[in-house]
Amino acid sequence: MNSIKAIFKKQLKDTYKNMVVLIQFFLFPVVAWVMTEMVAKSDENIPNTMFVTMMAAIFAGMGLIPLVASIIAEDRERKSLRFLVMAGVKSGAYLLGVGSVILLVSILPAFAFSFIAGYAGREFWLFTAVIMSGVAASILIGATVGIVSKNQQAATGLAMPIAMVLGFGPMIAPFNETVARIFHPFYTMQFTVVVESTYTYAWQPFAIIWANVAVLTVLFIIAYAVKGLRG
């Protein structure tokens, strides 16, 4: 528990000092609001939730994966991770310490997306929970990429293609059935699915997202065990 608190405090300070990172967290909700107000609400053929679900998928997928990968890779590059492992910090404690900061900062953008979409009550909390579940999955991908990368530059180079596929895939899916079928098992697609299902079968998107999380957790643990000491 003490190790988690120490990592959490360190990462919170680093995140607070980096204004570029903080702006990134709120950029996507702003874009969603502008597109919803200026485009969706003026065109009856476009659902008011369309740009919100798109931007939420890009935020949770494309935005966070390179960010987390860069954070982890920086710890390895500075040899911080080597010292943590030598001090007996387990993979779960390290991930919780770093990941909980990202989760904490992501709560406000998740609330913003749900508000912009016009949700209230159960729908508000359900859509927020879907976004936060997606954030958890992206943290795991970013952490795994950061662990296996040699340095920050390599981490960003590897994370960006993964992030772009996961972020932009759901944007193409509504216009192409083949793409929709391919991306259906991926967590970023579930933001759209949970909206289209009108919350009747909301457990299905959550089941898919948390199946993603379970697989990604195993991959991170393996990557940490293999590469952690080489930081």
Side-chain angles (χ1 to χ4, degrees), residues 174-189:
F175 309 103
N176 188 296
E177 291 184 5
T178 301
V179 174
R181 286 195 297 270
I182 292 172
F183 276 89
H184 185 74
F186 293 95
Y187 67 95
T188 49
M189 187 67 188

Side-chain angles (χ1 to χ4, degrees), residues 43-126:
D43 189 336
E44 61 181 13
N45 296 316
I46 300 177
N48 289 345
T49 58
M50 179 177 175
F51 293 109
V52 175
T53 53
M54 283 183 179
M55 289 298 108
I58 294 174
F59 164 73
M62 193 176 76
L64 294 182
I65 292 174
L67 171 63
V68 177
S70 178
I71 290 171
I72 305 297
E74 183 179 15
D75 277 348
R76 294 187 69 243
E77 198 170 357
R78 292 180 176 178
K79 309 301 180 184
S80 300
L81 188 54
R82 179 190 293 272
F83 297 133
L84 290 172
V85 174
M86 292 175 65
V89 176
K90 302 298 183 183
S91 59
Y94 177 71
L95 183 61
L96 283 172
V98 174
S100 56
V101 173
I102 305 300
L103 284 169
L104 179 64
V105 182
S106 297
I107 290 175
L108 289 178
F111 283 162
F113 282 123
S114 297
F115 178 78
I116 294 166
Y119 294 137
R122 178 174 178 268
E123 291 182 350
F124 181 95
W125 294 108
L126 195 57

Side-chain angles (χ1 to χ4, degrees), residues 107-164:
I107 290 175
L108 289 178
F111 283 162
F113 282 123
S114 297
F115 178 78
I116 294 166
Y119 294 137
R122 178 174 178 268
E123 291 182 350
F124 181 95
W125 294 108
L126 195 57
F127 191 61
T128 299
V130 169
I131 296 173
M132 294 304 295
S133 298
V135 169
S138 287
I139 289 171
L140 286 162
I141 295 177
T144 303
V145 170
I147 287 290
V148 302
S149 301
K150 293 181 180 180
N151 50 49
Q152 262 187 296
Q153 185 175 2
T156 303
L158 179 58
M160 280 306 300
I162 298 173
M164 290 180 70

Side-chain angles (χ1 to χ4, degrees), residues 21-32 59 105-110 112-113:
V21 170
L22 291 176
I23 290 172
Q24 179 176 310
F25 276 89
F26 298 98
L27 176 63
F28 296 105
V30 170
V31 173
F59 164 73
V105 182
S106 297
I107 290 175
L108 289 178
F113 282 123

